[in-house]
Amino acid sequence: MDWSTVAGNPDVIRLSASLLDRREEDCPDFAAVKARPQLRPRVTEPRRYPPWADFPLGLVMEILDAVEHDGADLGEAIAATVRNGRAWVHPGVARWVGHAAETYLDVADALADELAREGVVLRPARVPRVVQWGSSPAELRILTAWGRWYESGDGAVVEFRRLRMGRPRDTEDQPSTLAMAYIAGLGHCVADPRDVYTAIPVPVRTDLPRPRRIRVVEVGLTSGTERVVADRTPEEIRRDYLDDVRPVARRLLSGGGRVPGRDCATCRTRPSCDALPVTPGLLGLRHHGTHRRTWSITTSRRYEVCPAQAHLAELWIPGERDSSPAAARGRAVHRWLAAAHARGHGCTPADLPETTAEDCGLADAVLDRADYQEARPYLLGHLEVCPLNAEGVTAVRCEPTVAAYDSAADVIVLAEPDLLRQVHGRPVYREVKTSAAPRGLTPENALAAVPQLALAVCLMAAGAFGDRNGLVELEQLCPGAAEPLLVFDASDPSVVAAARAVIHERVVRWHTDIRFAANPGWWCGYCSVSRWCPDVAAGHRPERPGPQADAIAELASAREDDEPPF
């Protein structure tokens, strides 16, 4: 971590256990800075807040506090929290929050019955626990966990419950689970819960009995299911934490470079980050909107169908996982291509054995046989236009996340090209689309029909890839053949003007919207979050969904790793 870009004291660390779940593609320096509350950017800027409630789990916690600690009626607590909050709550969010609180309490009753059979009775604890170490207020290590706390009357059993917006995960061995158990087993109760994220050091109580049994439970607030991910003694937890988690925490806290992406919207060091391209005017907007946000073509596609759907997706409200055959086929094709191109050389017929072969090579590593059978006719067409079979190809990146900051609009713009490469030093951005039959795309209509191309042209022309004279390609795969490549030159003013018009039209209403009203219609039958929408249209899905329905169903099918941060 380059500490020269920030000011303040880096020796005070307040690490949330959930931060240990960072993925390899996430920005290392973001986590290192986030865990240091006394750091600030050398270049400061005012922080702006959204005019709507943007942390649904916080609302759920408020409701549960009122019910478990103050004895409030559940319905009254839900209504009061939604009505009296610091910011407006979208009706769809309010429905999910109410469901989540009710579901949690049902799960809590089931957990209580389970422990009662063992003779254990837990009560809600008003104060959380922290682990704190340090020789002075200028050099502290604080480990925290955000969730629900419970303890037995004699303090022998302590249980921490982690709230998952969707469903529990299989996390017994994850660093975050062990860290939460470590806090429960070896931490101290804070004197005042308001101090956990404000006081340094945090005042704690050291006169309470030490627990002998620690439980960590994940509760799925949408699914209404739970998973006990730890039930152990403090001694066992301490051993595994020191062996397995402390090295992970040390690596996380040391940083390791800057990787632009979704984190940039809330990163304190963004003003001084040299890794995030600054592209004022990228979206063609003339004002700053409500606050800093992220935007992508997926955002715009959701918003085009229904602003309410886009808003709930932005807040990670869980939906039903659904998929059309076309969407599933497209994902299978993209998985194979990403694995193939990661090898660094071109694709050949030998890479695509018959689906009945005993060894299907690369496909066996990334697809099941049914998916390979669906994808192979399209992949055969790819062989004709594989970009890595050309001369002069360098700097190949498969499905990277690309981010740029439009400082005029105060928006972090995200894109996920299927392939980035340089050809004789010139950047080339490729999108791959599959269709059962040719779609009739031409250079004249493709930018509007496939808006990822328009965004790619705008990013290229704005200098997000360094050289502004790059190319954008569309590879169209049909069974057994590929359509001719469509190529757009980002140095052509007419191409850039057409692309900017497409992007501006797709972003302008979203940027100023503060209510995200529902737009009910037949597409509600494909909406992943329709169960939370009070305006959902009654009706049935078309028996033979066409391309538009396929596209809507694709939006409803989240990626396997598309999970909220808690």
Side-chain angles (χ1 to χ4, degrees):
M1 173 70 195
D2 180 8
W3 301 113
S4 66
T5 60
V6 292
N9 180 11
D11 295 324
V12 172
I13 295 172
R14 185 171 62 221
L15 176 62
S16 173
S18 62
L19 198 61
L20 293 165
D21 285 343
R22 302 282 289 176
R23 303 170 301 177
E24 286 187 11
E25 60 265 33
D26 293 330
C27 179
D29 282 5
F30 171 85
V33 171
K34 183 179 177 67
R36 290 174 164 86
Q38 293 188 342
L39 289 184
R40 61 187 185 278
R42 293 190 179 277
V43 179
T44 60
E45 58 185 3
R47 182 175 179 182
R48 300 189 301 151
Y49 296 89
W52 54 78
D54 66 338
F55 186 37
L57 277 181
L59 300 175
V60 176
M61 287 283 278
E62 287 183 36
I63 294 167
L64 296 178
D65 284 347
V67 172
E68 292 192 327
H69 300 323
D70 303 329
D73 172 77
L74 174 59
E76 293 177 358
I78 294 171
T81 299
V82 171
R83 181 180 62 248
N84 301 329
R86 288 174 292 180
W88 173 76
V89 180
H90 189 279
V93 176
R95 276 202 172 187
W96 180 83
V97 165
H99 169 87
E102 183 176 359
T103 294
Y104 178 88
L105 293 173
D106 289 343
V107 170
D109 288 342
L111 289 169
D113 291 342
E114 173 190 314
L115 287 172
R117 289 191 287 270
E118 303 177 26
V120 176
V121 177
L122 299 183
R123 63 190 182 192
R126 285 183 175 270
V127 296
R129 297 170 182 247
V130 299
V131 170
Q132 187 168 234
W133 177 92
S135 56
S136 75
E139 186 176 354
L140 278 176
R141 305 289 185 270
I142 305 169
L143 184 62
T144 67
W146 190 88
R148 310 294 300 171
W149 291 91
Y150 298 84
E151 59 190 17
S152 59
D154 60 359
V157 181
V158 171
E159 180 169 293
F160 175 77
R161 295 180 190 166
R162 183 178 193 177
L163 307 186
R164 293 290 196 182
M165 294 185 73
R167 63 193 186 282
R169 304 183 208 169
D170 186 13
T171 60
E172 283 86 346
D173 298 324
Q174 279 195 355
S176 63
T177 297
L178 289 173
M180 292 166 184
Y182 184 73
I183 297 166
L186 289 95
H188 293 286
C189 289
V190 302
D192 186 331
R194 294 172 296 184
D195 290 336
V196 176
Y197 300 105
T198 56
I200 297 175
V202 179
V204 297
R205 296 186 59 183
T206 59
D207 58 337
L208 299 177
R210 307 302 297 170
R212 298 190 298 274
R213 179 184 179 186
I214 303 301
R215 283 166 51 99
V216 177
V217 181
E218 292 202 353
V219 179
L221 298 178
T222 298
S223 66
T225 55
E226 75 284 345
R227 182 191 294 270
V228 178
V229 292
D231 191 344
R232 309 171 67 185
T233 66
E235 293 74 19
E236 294 171 330
I237 291 166
R238 180 179 182 276
R239 181 193 64 232
D240 288 349
Y241 177 87
L242 295 178
D243 290 346
D244 300 332
V245 181
R246 190 161 61 174
V248 174
R250 286 175 172 168
R251 288 195 298 271
L252 181 143
L253 294 169
S254 66
R258 297 177 176 182
V259 180
R262 187 176 295 276
D263 290 330
C264 298
T266 56
C267 182
R268 279 181 280 156
T269 63
R270 187 213 54 76
S272 57
C273 179
D274 55 6
L276 176 66
V278 179
T279 55
L282 173 64
L283 300 176
L285 302 171
R286 298 183 179 180
H287 50 81
H288 272 55
T290 56
H291 64 294
R292 182 168 303 130
R293 303 159 69 188
T294 61
W295 181 88
S296 67
I297 293 300
T298 298
T299 307
S300 79
R301 291 169 65 200
R302 288 191 175 114
Y303 188 88
E304 184 179 31
V305 173
C306 176
Q309 182 194 89
H311 183 68
L312 269 59
E314 185 175 356
L315 298 184
W316 301 98
I317 299 297
E320 304 292 339
R321 292 179 180 269
D322 199 358
S323 182
S324 70
R329 177 195 67 222
R331 287 193 298 274
V333 168
H334 280 78
R335 281 200 300 273
W336 191 93
L337 290 175
H341 294 156
R343 303 173 303 176
H345 60 78
C347 303
T348 68
D351 295 323
L352 292 167
E354 294 287 343
T355 57
T356 55
E358 181 178 348
D359 181 2
C360 287
L362 181 64
D364 284 341
V366 295
L367 300 173
D368 61 35
R369 285 299 174 98
D371 285 340
Y372 180 50
Q373 187 170 2
E374 289 292 321
R376 185 174 180 272
Y378 297 83
L379 293 170
L380 289 171
H382 169 75
L383 300 178
E384 305 171 26
V385 291
C386 178
L388 303 193
N389 283 327
E391 296 292 330
V393 175
T394 58
V396 175
R397 298 170 62 195
C398 301
E399 297 188 345
T401 295
V402 173
Y405 177 52
D406 184 339
S407 54
D410 201 16
V411 173
I412 304 293
V413 179
L414 302 177
E416 294 185 357
D418 293 314
L419 190 77
L420 278 181
R421 69 193 192 280
Q422 291 193 355
V423 180
H424 300 297
R426 190 180 193 185
V428 183
Y429 181 121
R430 179 172 288 202
E431 281 288 328
V432 179
K433 296 296 180 184
T434 64
S435 60
R439 297 172 58 187
L441 296 179
T442 67
E444 291 71 30
N445 64 22
L447 293 177
V450 186
Q452 293 93 333
L453 301 173
L455 180 57
V457 169
C458 291
L459 286 166
M460 195 77 72
F465 304 102
D467 189 342
R468 298 173 184 263
N469 298 320
L471 300 176
V472 175
E473 299 174 335
L474 174 62
E475 177 180 337
Q476 306 174 75
L477 298 179
C478 297
E483 293 287 294
L485 279 179
L486 295 184
V487 182
F488 301 88
D489 188 341
S491 65
D492 184 331
S494 63
V495 171
V496 175
R500 286 175 175 166
V502 169
I503 294 304
H504 180 267
E505 182 178 359
R506 299 190 72 94
V507 73
V508 63
R509 290 192 303 116
W510 169 87
H511 193 235
T512 57
D513 198 345
I514 61 173
R515 284 297 181 261
F516 301 96
N519 177 35
W522 63 264
W523 42 85
C524 293
Y526 294 91
C527 177
S528 62
V529 292
S530 61
R531 66 184 294 195
W532 315 122
C533 180
D535 301 313
V536 64
H540 303 283
R541 299 184 180 189
E543 292 184 4
R544 296 176 63 85
Q548 186 180 12
D550 283 343
I552 292 171
E554 183 179 359
L555 291 176
S557 55
R559 295 182 341 191
E560 293 178 1
D561 62 348
D562 187 13
E563 294 282 1
F566 297 101

